[in-house]
Amino acid sequence: ISGGAVDNANSRAVFNIDEAGTVAGFFLTDESTIGGSTGILYGAGAFTGGTRDVEDGDILRVAATIEAS
């Protein structure tokens, strides 16, 4: 972590798409949220390139930078 920021640019999150649709952004939560509806929401944001259409079989790789001050 440098200057209050951390990113996953060297180890992007990978999502295997199994249905056609449109993605527009992301959200970051703690582990307790997986499979449930409780937990901590750390942040959310739109993709800088706008929305993205995806098809069954696509692979979406996401890099994010989180900053705190």
Side-chain angles (χ1 to χ4, degrees):
I1 297 178
S2 174
V6 64
D7 67 52
N8 68 328
N10 292 326
S11 183
R12 294 175 185 230
V14 177
F15 300 91
N16 295 301
I17 307 301
D18 62 5
E19 186 174 321
T22 302
V23 292
F26 71 98
F27 60 93
L28 179 65
T29 65
D30 67 344
E31 286 184 354
S32 67
T33 306
I34 298 172
S37 59
T38 62
I40 299 170
L41 175 63
Y42 292 106
F47 292 141
T48 56
T51 61
R52 174 81 180 194
D53 292 332
V54 293
E55 299 290 331
D56 182 21
D58 284 352
I59 298 173
L60 180 65
R61 291 178 176 87
V62 179
T65 301
I66 306 298
E67 296 181 23
S69 59

